[in-house]
Amino acid sequence: MAFLELNKKMKPVSYTMANGEEYVFKHGERTQVSTDVAVGFLGANDYKITFSIEDKEALAGASDNTIALLKQEFGVLEGGRIE
C-alpha cells in the first residue's frame, strides 16, 4: 500500500476516482492509496509519494514507461547519471 501527501502547505485536495473511491490529500498527513493510484501521481510536483514493501511485486511488473517515471521521481542513477 502506498501513501500520498501534499508536499507543501496548501488547501487540501480531494479526488474521486473512476471507481468511486474518494481521497483527500493534505500537507503533513499521509493518505493510504493503492499502488496504481500512487503510480498515477508520478511526476505531479505537489505530491510526495511513499511506497511500502508491499508495493514491490506490483512495481516489479510495471511497464517500461512506469519504470522510467519511477526512476525520474526517485532520482535513480544509472551509469552515473539520472535517467
Side-chain angles (χ1 to χ4, degrees):
M1 200 51 64
F3 300 91
L4 266 75
E5 66 182 282
L6 296 176
N7 66 9
K8 60 185 175 185
K9 285 192 175 188
M10 59 189 289
K11 190 175 177 180
V13 177
S14 61
Y15 285 96
T16 301
M17 301 301 169
N19 65 1
E21 288 184 275
E22 295 183 24
Y23 297 102
V24 177
F25 304 114
K26 301 176 182 177
H27 175 70
E29 184 178 311
R30 294 179 356 155
T31 300
Q32 188 173 338
V33 297
S34 69
T35 305
D36 293 339
V37 169
V39 166
F41 281 86
L42 289 172
N45 294 327
D46 290 336
Y47 298 88
K48 177 182 176 186
I49 302 168
T50 306
F51 290 101
S52 68
I53 195 69
E54 290 85 16
D55 299 310
K56 183 178 179 179
E57 188 174 318
L59 294 174
S63 69
D64 290 344
N65 186 46
T66 299
I67 297 296
L69 287 170
L70 286 163
K71 287 178 180 179
Q72 184 177 10
E73 181 81 20
F74 296 104
V76 174
L77 296 175
E78 287 195 19
R81 65 188 210 285
I82 296 178
E83 289 290 322

